[in-house]
Amino acid sequence: MVTKSTPNVESELTLHRKDIGLRARLSKEKEDYVFCLNYSRSYNSKYVLLVQDDAIPEDGFYERLNYLLENKLERRYVQGRFISNRGEWAFLKLNFPDPLAAFPRHWWFVCEGIAIAAFAAGIVANVYETFYRRKHRELSVKWTYFILLVGFLYFGIASHLIGRQYFIHLREKSNYFYDIRPGTSCCIPAVLYPSTIIPNITNYLLMTNLASPYPVDFALADFVTFAKMQQYITFPNLFSHIGLFSSLHVSTVGSVQF
């Protein structure tokens, strides 16, 4: 079915590989990835979307991706007007596993958790100040600060126990709630590349020897550091990863993990 609707190509480098073992699988994965990136440049497109065979798009992913490109990457909204975003970025990851999206996993995620706790605590303290303390002037303002502090701790712990991934899903209600964040070393089920950066990425991957535990996604993260560029992740995810097998594991893994 796929061969009837889209162009299909095969890499002669990997069709007849008989190697076994993790190192061989990682090497094959790298060869395939480099081949796909290089071949994609023949279409002369502005961007290249590389999707693995165990990733499926979410509803409306194209419109949401186009919104992110136009409003977060190619340009951004500053002081009431759009300006060109001149910062170079290497790629945009369209999937990030929910279990790895917890608040403690990244410094930016921690900042989000602090913001949620501070916002909720501020509402509670404001309600107390407006509707209770103003009617009881004998109460010290210190009680407001105390409620603010206790509320911050309470909502901070509560949001951590609930899990950041569940807050993220609330953003799926509208395209305008989608955003990008600084990327991490994981994962690459679906990645968008600017075509102009692909030669640099493929050259770097070809010079890199993959071994356990150093798969392609870790090498791509190191390329970002080497090239002094930025990588981003979409929130919420625009693709779901449905695979039960990882090249880093001998046995199958639960779908919840990835």
Side-chain angles (χ1 to χ4, degrees):
M1 179 177 178
V2 174
T3 57
K4 294 180 181 179
S5 57
T6 60
N8 285 263
V9 294
E10 294 179 324
S11 169
E12 294 181 357
L13 293 174
T14 59
L15 282 177
H16 306 292
R17 291 290 296 268
K18 302 296 184 180
D19 306 280
I20 58 174
L22 180 57
R23 181 183 292 271
R25 291 200 302 272
L26 293 176
S27 178
K28 180 181 183 298
E29 182 182 27
K30 180 187 75 172
E31 292 174 2
D32 291 345
Y33 210 83
V34 169
F35 174 80
C36 291
L37 285 175
N38 283 330
Y39 190 86
S40 66
R41 297 184 62 214
S42 64
Y43 293 99
N44 296 318
S45 59
K46 186 175 182 179
Y47 298 105
V48 169
L49 177 59
L50 198 56
V51 182
Q52 296 180 349
D53 59 0
D54 55 358
I56 56 175
E58 300 291 347
D59 292 339
F61 94 93
Y62 179 80
E63 292 78 10
R64 288 164 176 171
L65 177 58
N66 189 58
Y67 168 79
L68 291 173
L69 287 172
E70 291 184 349
N71 298 280
K72 303 295 182 179
L73 290 169
E74 295 178 349
R75 59 179 186 169
R76 52 198 175 93
Y77 197 69
V78 178
Q79 296 181 348
R81 61 189 181 92
F82 282 106
I83 63 173
S84 297
N85 189 4
R86 300 185 181 275
E88 283 194 301
W89 53 282
F91 45 82
L92 173 67
K93 296 179 177 179
L94 308 183
N95 171 271
F96 192 70
D98 279 352
L100 300 184
F103 288 113
R105 300 289 302 195
H106 194 271
W107 66 268
W108 189 269
F109 302 166
V110 173
C111 292
E112 290 181 346
I114 293 174
I116 292 173
F119 179 76
I123 292 177
V124 173
N126 186 63
V127 169
Y128 167 79
E129 180 72 17
T130 303
F131 296 100
Y132 188 79
R133 201 183 76 82
R134 289 185 180 180
K135 296 179 180 180
H136 301 79
R137 294 294 183 178
E138 69 278 6
L139 295 176
S140 171
V141 71
K142 293 181 179 179
W143 280 104
T144 302
Y145 295 131
F146 176 77
I147 290 175
L148 182 65
L149 176 60
V150 172
F152 177 80
L153 295 175
Y154 173 81
F155 288 110
I157 295 173
S159 60
H160 173 70
L161 293 176
I162 293 172
R164 177 176 175 271
Q165 52 271 39
Y166 296 102
F167 289 101
I168 291 174
H169 290 311
L170 296 176
R171 289 175 171 263
E172 297 174 354
K173 302 300 181 181
S174 171
N175 294 354
Y176 301 107
F177 295 155
Y178 278 71
D179 205 349
I180 60 174
R181 293 288 185 269
T184 68
S185 58
C186 178
C187 300
I188 55 173
V191 186
L192 184 78
Y193 296 91
S195 294
T196 54
I197 200 64
I198 287 178
N200 296 338
I201 292 178
T202 55
N203 290 337
Y204 183 87
L205 290 177
L206 289 174
M207 294 186 300
T208 303
N209 293 321
L210 303 186
S212 178
Y214 192 71
V216 172
D217 41 357
F218 286 11
L220 289 171
D222 286 344
F223 165 80
V224 172
T225 303
F226 172 79
K228 298 180 179 179
M229 302 181 71
Q230 295 291 330
Q231 62 161 321
Y232 298 105
I233 304 174
T234 61
F235 285 109
N237 289 332
L238 293 180
F239 277 78
S240 296
H241 188 200
I242 60 173
L244 295 180
F245 180 81
S246 169
S247 58
L248 293 178
H249 299 81
V250 176
S251 59
T252 58
V253 294
S255 58
V256 176
Q257 291 183 254
F258 292 96

